[in-house]
Amino acid sequence: MLYLKNTALLTILLILLTHPLTVSGQQGQDNLIKIRTVVIDPGHGGSDPGAINRAKKLKEKDITLSVALKLGNLIKEKYPDIKVIYTRSSDKFIELNTRTAIANRNNADLFISIHVNSAKSTSARGTETWVMGAERTASNLEVCKTENSVITLEDDYSSKYEKFDPDKPESYIIFSLLQNTHLEQSLILSELVQKNLQNGPIVKNRGVKQGPFLVLWKATMPSILIELGFISNETDSRLLGNKYNHITFAKRIFTAFEQYKSQYERSTVTTQANGIRNDNETYYAVQLFAVKKRLGAGAAEFKRLKTEVFQEGSLYKYVTGRYGSENEAYSALPEIRKKFPDAFVVKIKNNKITK
């Protein structure tokens, strides 16, 4: 009997030694789903003051820097394992393409750009959060043109931004052709930001919007642009100018970040636990669509294609194919688009859609 017990014990030890993932699987799983790097972008700076309220001696660049630094500190204090990077931490001018490049270079998981709004009408007030997309209305385009006009302060901006002219409507046509592969996650975070910002100090919620912002153009991760309020409005400018409110703005955004982080990481764990994805393979696929309700295995929506599903937040993303290279995936794309016109190529790494 003692011999059998020892044999059983030896067998267990051998299993543990030869299958280390059995005991460290949860830790390995944690390594896959953590938000590791956040880039915070205080809008404007240096020779570019941004929007100005001369009567109150307020400059957008000062407000955005103050709120951004406070937001970063909140993240670092609560989550010391998360790397927080600022596109600027002092009053200096940073080119728009450099801001996104900083996020891309550091493989950021989130890009948060903070701004203050302005309008010709002094009655306009409230907060709004933007994600990358084509302009929907004339008023949306005006906001984008104002923010994008910063590039005219840069040397040789026409070459840097592929002959883009922020004052010409035809320059914005290119954005209608772009596919934002991180749109769903960007929208989730944006909605959480707006939900929290409406708790004050500026309570008017102008909602989540899409627009062609150059600062979000080439970001390779979920990215948002927050407009904290209108410096041109009497009520908003008074609240924006109060430095005690800057920590409140930062706390509201931080709460949204925490909610997004919790939702994202929890949903990824659930996805893996349910067996939807369970490997560390890196490959390319074609994303067909994203829906809020998981579909049955034989659903007509799949049109007989073999699919895999990834859950991100409240969305289920369905992809097809496993291609060893990006070129292979793009070669398959035209045929797939005959059934799914909005399909696009994605990279899958460590159980996640990465682009």
PDB file of all heavy atoms in Angstrom, residues 203-214:
ATOM      1  N   VAL A 203     -21.424  68.873 -16.344  1.00  0.00           N
ATOM      2  CA  VAL A 203     -22.378  67.756 -16.348  1.00  0.00           C
ATOM      3  C   VAL A 203     -23.046  67.522 -17.702  1.00  0.00           C
ATOM      4  O   VAL A 203     -23.628  66.467 -17.919  1.00  0.00           O
ATOM      5  CB  VAL A 203     -23.464  67.962 -15.270  1.00  0.00           C
ATOM      6  CG1 VAL A 203     -22.843  67.977 -13.889  1.00  0.00           C
ATOM      7  CG2 VAL A 203     -24.254  69.241 -15.527  1.00  0.00           C
ATOM      8  N   LYS A 204     -22.976  68.489 -18.599  1.00  0.00           N
ATOM      9  CA  LYS A 204     -23.626  68.307 -19.898  1.00  0.00           C
ATOM     10  C   LYS A 204     -22.841  67.296 -20.730  1.00  0.00           C
ATOM     11  O   LYS A 204     -21.652  67.477 -20.995  1.00  0.00           O
ATOM     12  CB  LYS A 204     -23.734  69.630 -20.657  1.00  0.00           C
ATOM     13  CG  LYS A 204     -24.459  69.492 -21.999  1.00  0.00           C
ATOM     14  CD  LYS A 204     -24.680  70.821 -22.657  1.00  0.00           C
ATOM     15  CE  LYS A 204     -25.342  70.668 -24.028  1.00  0.00           C
ATOM     16  NZ  LYS A 204     -26.626  69.945 -23.971  1.00  0.00           N
ATOM     17  N   ASN A 205     -23.523  66.246 -21.142  1.00  0.00           N
ATOM     18  CA  ASN A 205     -22.914  65.152 -21.895  1.00  0.00           C
ATOM     19  C   ASN A 205     -23.301  65.289 -23.366  1.00  0.00           C
ATOM     20  O   ASN A 205     -24.451  65.093 -23.742  1.00  0.00           O
ATOM     21  CB  ASN A 205     -23.400  63.807 -21.335  1.00  0.00           C
ATOM     22  CG  ASN A 205     -22.779  62.610 -22.033  1.00  0.00           C
ATOM     23  OD1 ASN A 205     -22.140  62.728 -23.066  1.00  0.00           O
ATOM     24  ND2 ASN A 205     -22.984  61.437 -21.458  1.00  0.00           N
ATOM     25  N   ARG A 206     -22.330  65.611 -24.213  1.00  0.00           N
ATOM     26  CA  ARG A 206     -22.573  65.776 -25.646  1.00  0.00           C
ATOM     27  C   ARG A 206     -22.384  64.454 -26.419  1.00  0.00           C
ATOM     28  O   ARG A 206     -22.560  64.410 -27.633  1.00  0.00           O
ATOM     29  CB  ARG A 206     -21.638  66.851 -26.218  1.00  0.00           C
ATOM     30  CG  ARG A 206     -21.930  68.239 -25.651  1.00  0.00           C
ATOM     31  CD  ARG A 206     -20.864  69.241 -26.079  1.00  0.00           C
ATOM     32  NE  ARG A 206     -20.799  69.410 -27.522  1.00  0.00           N
ATOM     33  CZ  ARG A 206     -21.486  70.308 -28.206  1.00  0.00           C
ATOM     34  NH1 ARG A 206     -22.341  71.124 -27.563  1.00  0.00           N
ATOM     35  NH2 ARG A 206     -21.367  70.414 -29.517  1.00  0.00           N
ATOM     36  N   GLY A 207     -21.990  63.398 -25.696  1.00  0.00           N
ATOM     37  CA  GLY A 207     -21.946  62.075 -26.291  1.00  0.00           C
ATOM     38  C   GLY A 207     -20.625  61.689 -26.930  1.00  0.00           C
ATOM     39  O   GLY A 207     -19.632  62.412 -26.871  1.00  0.00           O
ATOM     40  N   VAL A 208     -20.658  60.509 -27.544  1.00  0.00           N
ATOM     41  CA  VAL A 208     -19.501  59.948 -28.240  1.00  0.00           C
ATOM     42  C   VAL A 208     -19.651  60.224 -29.732  1.00  0.00           C
ATOM     43  O   VAL A 208     -20.730  60.027 -30.297  1.00  0.00           O
ATOM     44  CB  VAL A 208     -19.397  58.428 -27.999  1.00  0.00           C
ATOM     45  CG1 VAL A 208     -18.265  57.828 -28.818  1.00  0.00           C
ATOM     46  CG2 VAL A 208     -19.186  58.144 -26.509  1.00  0.00           C
ATOM     47  N   LYS A 209     -18.567  60.664 -30.362  1.00  0.00           N
ATOM     48  CA  LYS A 209     -18.622  61.042 -31.776  1.00  0.00           C
ATOM     49  C   LYS A 209     -17.430  60.457 -32.532  1.00  0.00           C
ATOM     50  O   LYS A 209     -16.438  60.068 -31.933  1.00  0.00           O
ATOM     51  CB  LYS A 209     -18.626  62.569 -31.914  1.00  0.00           C
ATOM     52  CG  LYS A 209     -19.776  63.241 -31.157  1.00  0.00           C
ATOM     53  CD  LYS A 209     -19.752  64.742 -31.301  1.00  0.00           C
ATOM     54  CE  LYS A 209     -20.917  65.386 -30.546  1.00  0.00           C
ATOM     55  NZ  LYS A 209     -20.941  66.856 -30.715  1.00  0.00           N
ATOM     56  N   GLN A 210     -17.578  60.408 -33.847  1.00  0.00           N
ATOM     57  CA  GLN A 210     -16.494  59.948 -34.710  1.00  0.00           C
ATOM     58  C   GLN A 210     -16.017  61.102 -35.590  1.00  0.00           C
ATOM     59  O   GLN A 210     -16.835  61.882 -36.087  1.00  0.00           O
ATOM     60  CB  GLN A 210     -16.945  58.793 -35.599  1.00  0.00           C
ATOM     61  CG  GLN A 210     -17.293  57.534 -34.839  1.00  0.00           C
ATOM     62  CD  GLN A 210     -17.599  56.378 -35.782  1.00  0.00           C
ATOM     63  OE1 GLN A 210     -16.921  56.186 -36.781  1.00  0.00           O
ATOM     64  NE2 GLN A 210     -18.626  55.610 -35.455  1.00  0.00           N
ATOM     65  N   GLY A 211     -14.700  61.200 -35.766  1.00  0.00           N
ATOM     66  CA  GLY A 211     -14.166  62.268 -36.594  1.00  0.00           C
ATOM     67  C   GLY A 211     -12.764  61.966 -37.083  1.00  0.00           C
ATOM     68  O   GLY A 211     -12.044  61.160 -36.472  1.00  0.00           O
ATOM     69  N   PRO A 212     -12.352  62.600 -38.174  1.00  0.00           N
ATOM     70  CA  PRO A 212     -11.026  62.358 -38.760  1.00  0.00           C
ATOM     71  C   PRO A 212      -9.930  63.175 -38.097  1.00  0.00           C
ATOM     72  O   PRO A 212      -9.473  64.189 -38.634  1.00  0.00           O
ATOM     73  CB  PRO A 212     -11.233  62.759 -40.224  1.00  0.00           C
ATOM     74  CG  PRO A 212     -12.273  63.837 -40.169  1.00  0.00           C
ATOM     75  CD  PRO A 212     -13.186  63.473 -39.030  1.00  0.00           C
ATOM     76  N   PHE A 213      -9.487  62.738 -36.941  1.00  0.00           N
ATOM     77  CA  PHE A 213      -8.421  63.434 -36.213  1.00  0.00           C
ATOM     78  C   PHE A 213      -7.060  62.863 -36.602  1.00  0.00           C
ATOM     79  O   PHE A 213      -6.829  61.657 -36.487  1.00  0.00           O
ATOM     80  CB  PHE A 213      -8.620  63.294 -34.702  1.00  0.00           C
ATOM     81  CG  PHE A 213      -9.783  64.076 -34.165  1.00  0.00           C
ATOM     82  CD1 PHE A 213     -11.011  63.478 -33.984  1.00  0.00           C
ATOM     83  CD2 PHE A 213      -9.639  65.420 -33.843  1.00  0.00           C
ATOM     84  CE1 PHE A 213     -12.083  64.200 -33.493  1.00  0.00           C
ATOM     85  CE2 PHE A 213     -10.706  66.146 -33.343  1.00  0.00           C
ATOM     86  CZ  PHE A 213     -11.936  65.541 -33.172  1.00  0.00           C
ATOM     87  N   LEU A 214      -6.158  63.727 -37.015  1.00  0.00           N
ATOM     88  CA  LEU A 214      -4.824  63.265 -37.392  1.00  0.00           C
ATOM     89  C   LEU A 214      -4.087  62.641 -36.209  1.00  0.00           C
ATOM     90  O   LEU A 214      -3.270  61.740 -36.382  1.00  0.00           O
ATOM     91  CB  LEU A 214      -3.999  64.436 -37.949  1.00  0.00           C
ATOM     92  CG  LEU A 214      -4.396  64.922 -39.352  1.00  0.00           C
ATOM     93  CD1 LEU A 214      -3.580  66.157 -39.727  1.00  0.00           C
ATOM     94  CD2 LEU A 214      -4.212  63.832 -40.390  1.00  0.00           C
TER      95      LEU A 214
END
